[in-house]
Amino acid sequence: MRAPRSTYRLQLRRSFGFREAAEVTEYVRRLGVSELYLSPVFTAAPGSTHGYDVLDPGTLNPELGGEGAFRELRASAEANQLGLTVDFVPNHMGVGCAGNRFWDDVLEHGQVSDFADYFDIDWQSPRAGLFGKVLLPILPESYGACLEGQKIRLVWDGQALSLLAFERKLPLRPASLAPLFERVAELVEQAFPSASRGLRAIGQELGALVVPLTQEQRFAYRHATRSALERFASLVSETGIQAELTRALGQLNGQQAVAESFDFLDELLRHQVYRLSSWRLALEGVNYRRFFNVNELAAIRVERPETFHAVHAKLLGLVQDGSITGLRLDHIDGLYDPIGYLTQLNDALREATQTRADDAPLHVTVEKILAPDEALPEAFVAHGTTGYEFIRVLNGVLVDRRSEASLSLLHRRFTGDLRDFSDHLREAKHEVLDSLLAADASLLSHALERIAERDRLSRDIGWRSLHRALVETMVAFPAYRSYVRPDGTSTAADEKSIGRAVTEAMARNPTAARAPYQLLHSLLLLHVNDPDAVSFAMRFQQTGGPVTAKSLEDTAFYRYTRFVAENEVGNQPERIGVELQEFHAQNAARAARHPLGLVASSTHDTKRGEDVRARLAVLAEMPNTWRRVAFDLHCIAAGLRDSHDAPSKSDEYLYFQTLVGIVPFGARDADIRALEERLQEYMRKACREAKVRTSWADPNEDYEAATRRFLSATLAAPAFVERLRRFCARIDPYAVSKSLAQVALKHCSPGVPDTYQGSEVWHQVLVDPDNRRPVDYSALSALLRGIDERRADRAGLAAQLLKEFSTGAVKLLVVSELLRLRNAQPDVFSSSYLPLDGGSDCVAFGRGNGRCELICAVARFPFRLTRGRSPWAIGSVWGEAELRGPGLPGQYRNVLTNAVATFGKEVRLAEAFRDFPVAIWVRTEAGAEASPKCPVANCGPARK
């Protein structure tokens, strides 16, 4: 296995594909990174900006350059000693357009498709008209309106007959073509009598097909349909009836304002495998499992061997030939049995790499969002997560918890919102289960009803009671999901989370009958002997993740605006900040269990870039000042409103915090005004995600327009912009100090530090798509080159870049120094974690076995600590405070300034922070070179 030392995430897209990625490999190597970490690389929907809507996992995305360009990227990565880690999607596939051969075949043949079991479809739906069908909610308005508006029509493309619903081409079920061919034969009979007879013969042949029951019959059925359709295409081509066929189809497509003219097409559609509907019907009627509530992403049953092989064959081939050296697995919680999948994948990877049974075949991390008191299941065959739990403690340990009461009071006074976060989250879960994921909840409760019906002890429990118990238990669930295995294996954590959810659900519904909850509790732990219990329990677990994510991350985070720096993936902002002990405990646990798990500070899914959170974290050190600023901005903006109701006070408070977060360091008034387009896009998304005054499903154009005008007016008002700019300029140095502290803690903590594209300099971005804007790698490369040319005078360089902090070069200096240090001294970063005591205002720890080979120390609260004086002089404010801990005595070099010092059993913090606002010291031997050169040319990690 290639053991990574660091990763660098690139977001691929049509304008930045494999060849463009190859062009930045030299820069990434010079930065000190060991692994290039790519967003999904397999063929996705045309124009995809993220790659998660995979159409064909068997081919490399042609929009990214395809096979040839990927080989160029691999060669360039190898030349720069970089591994390639790839983001892989095992949970779902894109079905929002033609091109997914598995899905298209299911839409053509239904349950007799060879790929019907690839997807998680409920063919037994209790909804009228859906039994044995797939609901296809792709229409922008009702089915009848689309049909009679001639937006659904039959077309001949020169090779095959198909249905065109708006821009979506759909196959037709072969057996349904018999009446169609008969009608077409009638319409062309006079001009082409022989072709008419041929059409009738083919139609009769298709109409006589028997639904296959056995595998042998299925083969014969597929052969017969293929043969008949090929003969039809040949007949059309050879007899020259294309024009007549097109005219005939035009008649069958109906005539506007003549309702009865659409009867034939309507009847034909009734005989298809799919039922076309408005997208709105998906809210309550969709009968295939999706990624969250995205109709265009259908979940796949990767637990089936055939599906697993089809989805992973190309990936395993790329692993086998050495092209891919690491995997990031997307949305692991969406899988039927994550533990079983990871075990199966590990076996396949071991076979592909011919790895011994006691060795790990590949570096694998999972996208798993852990609740604050949750640990990654021990049975997961993975090196760790992608780092959201680290973001939670990294962000929180630099937020002053003493301000919680003040910030809560300010939020209540500004917005009038008296509820706490848990109230918002419960309300959001109920709404999501009653709207966006109502169909998923309904499918589960109907399955629960079928199970209850088969047992005489539960037969009298009605569907409504079962549905209520299911919904209330999901609302109360304390984590994204549990991990009970299909064989009934569970852990103490599973039993605790399920028991807690059921108990809380009953407590919140004291008048409800106990029996539905007791049945549900038994089923979720698979204590019920029923053949469908396993399917139900697994589906419940799969649904829990989307319910929590949509409620927490995509709803409550946008409603509860007390302190939005805490509204981050992996966090639950009912509290502000985390204790120092919690930060140390998580790091120690990672060092012991998952030393190769990723540690991140920004990702493509974070709600705010790391430097936005750092800027906002300063507010927690000056809550009274922030209160005055917030109300100053509010008073100025009050005269700019043209609507009393828009934006709401909560949205306005979110807007003000967002402004403080994204105003560039060292901004001028013009820089602030230039943010308008990004802010308009963000606030539109934020208001719709909150689902209070407007939403994606039902946009309130008046509210959104008034909010847009408000934003424009504030950014055009000199008094508003000046007040904002002066405040941001005041807190800039402290935000810089916190940003550099994040960099130091991330790169020195146990784990593999991940750098999201462009975040090696200031990363003041918002949620996607804002955080996926193009990165100027030419500028970054030039900036790094300029730093490298001046590294000989490390102390002077660090001091100068601090003064010029607005360029972001000082952050790039710290990032590159620490990445290169990890390459030069890898053993230090794979050694033990040693918490050090620097008091409550300092985060400090050592790395080493028995003694500190490295000391990392940062100030938690630079504004409070310096009482508003410059944090650049932070070394002068510690007084006699000391750093204590095991293994300190020795000679050290400051990585960032090259200063050399000898430390005793205690280290005066004033000395540790003498020259720079973060302190990174590495042990040196007496007489050793004070500034060992980093072997940049050999930054790639060794192979195990």
Side-chain angles (χ1 to χ4, degrees):
M1 186 190 81
R2 179 185 172 100
R5 292 176 187 157
S6 56
T7 60
Y8 189 96
R9 169 82 178 202
L10 289 177
Q11 287 297 116
L12 304 176
R13 55 194 178 280
R14 181 183 291 173
S15 60
F16 190 90
F18 299 137
R19 288 194 174 91
E20 290 77 14
E23 292 173 2
V24 306
T25 54
E26 188 267 342
Y27 161 74
V28 172
R29 175 190 60 80
R30 285 195 294 116
L31 187 61
V33 172
S34 77
E35 314 294 310
L36 206 57
Y37 166 23
L38 306 175
S39 60
V41 299
F42 296 106
T43 299
S48 176
T49 59
H50 47 75
Y52 290 105
D53 44 0
V54 175
L55 296 179
D56 183 3
T59 59
L60 291 165
N61 196 340
E63 285 197 351
L64 302 180
E67 195 81 31
F70 183 81
R71 296 300 166 191
E72 293 177 25
L73 171 58
R74 177 192 174 184
S76 182
E78 287 186 343
N80 286 284
Q81 299 181 331
L82 297 172
L84 283 183
T85 290
V86 167
D87 194 343
F88 185 69
V89 189
N91 175 69
H92 56 267
M93 297 182 73
V95 296
C97 61
N100 184 327
R101 64 185 180 90
F102 305 131
W103 184 253
D104 290 345
D105 198 82
V106 172
L107 295 184
E108 183 175 2
H109 298 287
Q111 295 181 73
V112 300
S113 167
D114 291 339
F115 311 113
D117 291 335
Y118 279 36
F119 299 94
D120 201 345
I121 300 169
D122 181 11
W123 298 103
Q124 315 301 317
S125 173
R127 188 178 182 87
L130 265 187
F131 189 86
K133 292 180 179 288
V134 180
L135 184 72
L136 215 54
I138 63 174
L139 305 179
E141 50 188 334
S142 72
Y143 164 76
C146 290
L147 182 68
E148 296 190 9
Q150 296 187 311
K151 302 299 184 183
I152 304 173
R153 59 192 190 278
L154 297 164
V155 295
W156 165 256
D157 63 6
Q159 294 182 319
L161 276 173
S162 58
L163 190 76
L164 196 62
F166 284 78
E167 300 302 320
R168 178 70 183 276
K169 184 177 286 189
L170 299 166
L172 293 165
R173 181 167 166 253
S176 74
L177 294 175
L180 174 61
F181 284 4
E182 176 64 29
R183 288 294 302 275
V184 171
E186 293 174 4
L187 294 171
V188 303
E189 187 169 19
Q190 188 171 357
F192 296 92
S194 62
S196 177
R197 289 192 295 273
L199 283 171
R200 284 193 171 93
I202 296 172
Q204 290 167 2
E205 183 179 334
L206 289 170
L209 289 174
V210 178
V211 175
L213 298 176
T214 66
Q215 189 63 36
E216 187 175 293
Q217 290 173 335
R218 181 175 295 188
F219 178 81
Y221 168 85
R222 296 302 294 267
H223 176 75
T225 56
R226 190 180 302 112
S227 173
L229 293 175
E230 287 174 354
R231 291 202 311 279
F232 168 71
S234 297
L235 183 149
V236 173
S237 175
E238 292 170 3
T239 59
I241 66 167
Q242 291 94 330
E244 286 295 320
L245 174 61
T246 300
R247 277 193 289 273
L249 294 178
Q251 292 186 48
L252 298 179
N253 284 333
Q255 301 174 44
Q256 203 128 26
V258 183
E260 60 271 19
S261 67
F262 296 95
D263 290 349
F264 177 82
L265 184 53
D266 180 38
E267 185 64 23
L268 179 70
L269 287 169
R270 290 177 185 274
H271 288 84
Q272 299 311 309
V273 169
Y274 47 84
R275 175 185 164 184
L276 294 176
S277 79
S278 159
W279 62 270
R280 290 182 179 276
L281 187 57
L283 300 178
E284 55 183 281
V286 71
N287 61 334
Y288 59 91
R289 192 168 61 85
R290 303 159 293 170
F291 172 76
F292 292 8
N293 64 322
V294 183
N295 299 330
E296 294 79 15
L297 298 177
I300 54 176
R301 300 178 63 192
V302 76
E303 67 274 9
R304 298 184 66 257
E306 299 89 343
T307 313
F308 181 93
H309 176 75
V311 170
H312 291 78
K314 178 65 174 178
L315 173 73
L316 292 171
L318 293 171
V319 170
Q320 187 172 24
D321 70 15
S323 297
I324 291 176
T325 58
L327 284 180
R328 181 259 196 196
L329 299 172
D330 181 64
H331 191 43
I332 197 75
D333 275 350
L335 300 182
Y336 178 82
D337 177 17
I339 294 171
Y341 168 77
L342 289 170
T343 302
Q344 185 180 14
L345 177 64
N346 189 65
D347 291 342
L349 291 172
R350 179 169 286 122
E351 182 178 349
T353 56
Q354 298 183 341
T355 306
R356 296 196 310 270
D358 56 344
D359 288 338
L362 204 74
H363 182 248
V364 175
T365 55
V366 295
E367 186 210 24
K368 163 62 187 163
I369 300 170
L370 297 166
D373 58 351
E374 183 184 12
L376 193 68
E378 292 185 10
F380 269 35
V381 185
H383 291 94
T385 73
T386 52
Y388 290 115
E389 70 280 3
F390 180 75
I391 293 177
R392 180 179 68 82
V393 296
L394 175 67
N395 185 49
V397 78
L398 300 177
V399 172
D400 195 337
R401 296 198 65 201
R402 290 169 289 187
S403 67
E404 183 163 3
S406 297
L407 290 173
S408 296
L409 178 62
L410 169 57
H411 176 245
R412 289 195 295 270
R413 285 183 56 194
F414 195 106
T415 66
D417 184 359
L418 303 180
R419 294 170 297 174
D420 61 25
F421 181 75
S422 60
D423 294 330
H424 281 282
L425 180 57
R426 263 194 309 276
E427 181 182 64
K429 282 189 173 184
H430 275 291
E431 290 178 12
V432 165
L433 283 165
D434 194 43
S435 57
L436 299 178
L437 296 173
D440 302 76
S442 181
L443 285 172
L444 275 170
S445 58
H446 281 294
L448 182 58
E449 182 186 34
R450 290 193 292 269
I451 294 171
E453 175 65 25
R454 287 197 288 265
D455 190 325
R456 60 176 176 267
L457 297 178
S458 57
R459 188 173 298 159
D460 289 345
I461 306 175
W463 175 84
R464 191 172 299 279
S465 296
L466 292 168
H467 184 74
R468 181 180 180 183
L470 183 141
V471 167
E472 294 294 341
T473 301
M474 276 197 164
V475 168
F477 216 83
Y480 278 73
R481 68 166 285 167
S482 51
Y483 297 94
V484 178
R485 303 290 309 284
D487 62 1
T489 303
S490 63
T491 65
D494 294 323
E495 294 166 10
K496 180 180 178 181
S497 60
I498 292 170
R500 175 179 163 186
V502 173
T503 300
E504 181 178 328
M506 287 194 292
R508 289 193 173 276
N509 296 272
T511 62
R514 308 289 92 178
Y517 293 93
Q518 293 163 353
L519 173 63
L520 186 59
H521 185 261
S522 297
L523 281 170
L524 294 181
L525 289 172
L526 288 178
H527 293 165
V528 174
N529 184 22
D530 185 280
D532 291 333
V534 172
S535 175
F536 171 81
M538 298 301 105
R539 184 65 178 264
F540 182 97
Q541 293 182 132
Q542 286 177 291
T543 306
V547 169
T548 300
K550 293 305 296 182
S551 308
L552 175 67
E553 301 162 31
D554 294 342
T555 305
F557 276 3
Y558 293 95
R559 293 182 180 180
Y560 187 71
T561 57
R562 177 179 66 169
F563 183 60
V564 297
E566 294 284 13
N567 295 16
E568 192 51 83
V569 180
N571 201 7
Q572 290 194 344
E574 64 271 13
R575 65 174 184 172
I576 289 176
V578 302
E579 298 287 1
L580 191 56
Q581 302 93 295
E582 187 175 355
F583 176 85
H584 286 313
Q586 189 192 105
N587 268 354
R590 188 182 312 102
R593 290 189 55 199
H594 301 112
L596 291 179
L598 296 188
V599 287
S601 46
S602 293
T603 77
H604 60 288
D605 278 334
T606 43
K607 301 300 183 183
R608 291 163 187 84
E610 58 201 62
D611 298 317
V612 173
R613 299 195 305 271
R615 175 73 85 49
L616 292 173
V618 180
L619 304 184
E621 297 178 47
M622 50 192 313
N624 295 329
T625 302
W626 167 236
R627 183 186 69 246
R628 290 194 297 272
V629 172
F631 279 106
D632 284 351
L633 294 174
H634 172 67
C635 290
I636 297 170
L640 305 173
R641 282 177 173 268
D642 62 11
S643 168
H644 176 72
D645 297 323
S648 68
K649 294 298 190 294
S650 182
D651 289 341
E652 181 181 355
Y653 194 49
L654 170 64
Y655 170 54
F656 289 167
Q657 291 180 76
T658 302
L659 271 171
V660 170
I662 72 166
V663 167
F665 288 119
R668 298 165 300 177
D669 288 1
D671 298 321
I672 296 175
R673 295 189 180 97
L675 297 171
E676 180 174 350
E677 183 178 347
R678 291 173 57 200
L679 284 164
Q680 293 283 16
E681 186 173 7
Y682 172 74
M683 287 304 297
R684 173 177 171 267
K685 176 170 183 170
C687 292
R688 289 187 175 187
E689 294 284 21
K691 307 171 193 67
V692 176
R693 303 299 181 91
T694 184
S695 68
W696 295 108
D698 293 293
N700 183 334
E701 296 295 344
D702 291 339
Y703 182 83
E704 292 183 7
T707 301
R708 285 196 301 272
R709 293 192 298 271
F710 175 80
L711 263 64
S712 295
T714 58
L715 295 176
F720 184 93
V721 172
E722 182 185 3
R723 184 69 178 99
L724 176 66
R725 180 189 55 76
R726 284 191 291 107
F727 177 66
C728 289
R730 181 185 178 192
I731 66 175
D732 269 353
Y734 312 100
V736 167
S737 179
K738 284 185 181 285
S739 293
L740 298 181
Q742 288 182 145
V743 170
L745 294 175
K746 179 176 78 171
H747 287 84
C748 295
S749 289
V752 178
D754 173 43
T755 302
Y756 181 67
Q757 60 176 30
S759 67
E760 61 269 38
V761 291
W762 302 136
H763 197 236
Q764 292 172 273
V765 299
L766 301 169
V767 71
D768 69 282
D770 191 64
N771 64 8
R772 304 185 191 188
R773 292 177 298 143
V775 176
D776 187 345
Y777 282 106
S778 296
L780 286 177
S781 184
L783 194 61
L784 181 60
R785 190 171 292 108
I787 291 173
D788 286 339
E789 291 170 354
R790 300 165 60 192
R791 282 187 200 266
D793 177 17
R794 196 74 55 85
L797 174 62
Q800 184 64 29
L801 294 184
L802 270 179
K803 294 178 182 177
E804 302 167 353
F805 66 82
S806 63
T807 67
V810 65
K811 184 179 182 184
L812 185 61
L813 169 70
V814 178
V815 169
S816 58
E817 283 292 344
L818 294 179
L819 286 173
R820 294 175 183 188
L821 180 65
R822 294 181 71 91
N823 292 325
Q825 300 187 36
D827 291 345
V828 169
F829 294 93
S830 61
S831 58
S832 298
Y833 180 79
L834 308 169
L836 300 175
D837 180 13
S840 61
D841 291 330
C842 178
V843 187
F845 56 85
R847 302 298 306 276
N849 295 318
R851 67 175 190 175
C852 292
E853 300 296 335
L854 173 144
I855 299 170
C856 172
V858 305
R860 296 177 71 187
F861 315 124
F863 183 85
R864 282 191 189 271
L865 193 63
T866 62
R867 298 180 182 178
R869 291 176 289 164
S870 171
W872 308 158
I874 205 167
S876 65
V877 301
W878 293 99
E880 298 301 315
E882 292 180 329
L883 190 65
R884 297 182 177 86
L888 281 174
Q891 184 175 345
Y892 293 84
R893 175 180 66 87
N894 188 312
V895 172
L896 302 172
T897 67
N898 261 353
V900 176
T902 300
F903 296 151
K905 292 183 179 179
E906 292 84 24
V907 178
R908 290 186 65 241
L909 289 174
E911 184 175 4
F913 286 100
R914 184 180 60 207
D915 302 313
F916 204 74
V918 299
I920 310 294
W921 295 84
V922 292
R923 185 180 293 274
T924 62
E925 299 300 331
E929 182 182 356
S931 178
K933 296 178 181 178
C934 172
V936 176
N938 299 302
C939 274
R943 292 178 181 269
K944 281 188 179 179

